[in-house]
Amino acid sequence: MFDPKVIVALDYNSADEALSFVSKVSPEICRLKVGNELFTAAGPQFVGKLCEKGFKVFLDLKFHDIPNTVSKACEAAAKQGVWLVNVHALGGAVMMSKAAQTLAKYQSRPKLIAVTVLTSMDREQLGGVGLDVEPAEQVKRLAKLACDCGLDGVVSSAREVAMIKDLCGKNFWCVTPGIRPADSALGDQKRVMTPSQAISEGSDYLVIGRPITQSADPVAALNKINEEINALI
């Protein structure tokens, strides 16, 4: 069975806009990500609708709260039938461990990954929040913590994937945003790679939004990226 590597970020502000795109694609060619903007606008019912259509859904809400609240949020995501859910690694070991333990009781549970350092952040921005460290070093620290807490993987830049795999093993997922085809604008991303570069580095799944959704022909843009990836795997 084909395993689509592209997770299309549905960065729309309404269910109707998102469904217009979804109607043109299939679960065989992509997975879908619902983030804060769309989830706030369309709610959990929209997520359920995507799951009913057979799509593997990444619920990208980056839970970061006290352990009990985060574990219950992860449980709610499991009941919706999503494929992947995430938390912020900066929430700490107790929070991540409790979330992992909560999901473990589900026979068909979502995969649980942790956000390390947002791909929009660089050394200067980390310094602004009191972290005097290179992004890669902070990613390494948080990826190891997530691995030790029993999570399935992390969200990170493709630039850090090889390091994470060496540290946590090849089965530890690296889901990588900040992916830009060679002819795309960087937008607000700082640490980026092309799809083929990211796959070559070992990324398991690529989160791609605007280069697809804001393209004049989104489906053609998605197909072109899939062809680029499939030439390598």
Side-chain angles (χ1 to χ4, degrees):
M1 183 176 179
F2 182 63
D3 177 24
K5 297 297 182 184
V6 175
I7 305 172
V8 178
L10 298 177
D11 295 329
Y12 299 101
N13 58 23
S14 74
D16 288 344
E17 287 181 282
L19 287 173
S20 176
F21 170 81
V22 171
S23 68
K24 300 168 186 171
V25 297
S26 71
E28 287 72 38
I29 63 172
C30 68
R31 299 165 190 261
L32 302 175
K33 180 177 84 71
V34 175
N36 286 295
E37 179 183 11
L38 184 56
F39 188 82
T40 301
Q45 297 84 359
F46 178 77
V47 175
K49 185 175 293 187
L50 296 180
C51 293
E52 289 171 4
K53 291 178 178 292
F55 284 96
K56 299 288 188 181
V57 176
F58 173 19
L59 185 61
D60 178 26
L61 301 183
K62 304 180 181 68
F63 300 133
H64 187 175
D65 211 311
I66 63 172
N68 188 61
T69 297
V70 168
S71 67
K72 289 187 178 300
C74 288
E75 189 166 22
K79 291 177 180 176
Q80 286 186 322
V82 303
W83 159 69
L84 183 64
V85 66
N86 63 357
V87 301
H88 258 295
L90 282 173
V94 175
M95 185 201 79
M96 288 194 287
S97 295
K98 188 172 180 65
Q101 291 162 9
T102 296
L103 290 179
K105 67 184 181 182
Y106 287 89
Q107 184 173 7
S108 181
R109 68 171 179 86
K111 294 286 188 177
L112 177 63
I113 60 177
V115 176
T116 53
V117 176
L118 298 173
T119 52
S120 60
M121 298 191 78
D122 54 17
R123 174 67 184 262
E124 181 180 358
Q125 292 188 64
L126 285 177
V129 296
L131 294 171
D132 185 19
V133 64
E134 290 291 340
E137 187 60 32
Q138 181 70 357
V139 168
K140 182 178 180 180
R141 180 183 301 159
L142 293 177
K144 182 63 166 62
L145 182 63
C147 184
D148 291 345
C149 291
L151 272 67
D152 299 294
V154 291
V155 180
S156 76
S157 160
R159 295 185 185 184
E160 290 104 34
V161 169
M163 173 188 70
I164 292 169
K165 296 285 188 176
D166 286 343
L167 186 68
C168 301
K170 65 179 182 179
N171 294 325
F172 191 71
W173 281 11
C174 289
V175 177
T176 55
I179 304 299
R180 291 289 184 268
D183 57 354
S184 293
L186 296 183
D188 54 6
Q189 302 286 0
K190 301 292 185 184
R191 300 175 355 262
V192 302
M193 278 193 181
T194 67
S196 58
Q197 287 172 333
I199 291 295
S200 295
E201 287 294 316
S203 295
D204 294 284
Y205 296 98
L206 313 181
V207 177
I208 308 176
R210 285 167 284 185
I212 294 173
T213 60
Q214 294 184 11
S215 169
D217 188 340
V219 177
L222 172 59
N223 287 336
K224 183 178 179 181
I225 291 170
N226 278 334
E227 289 172 5
E228 180 181 336
I229 292 170
N230 292 340
L232 298 174
I233 59 178

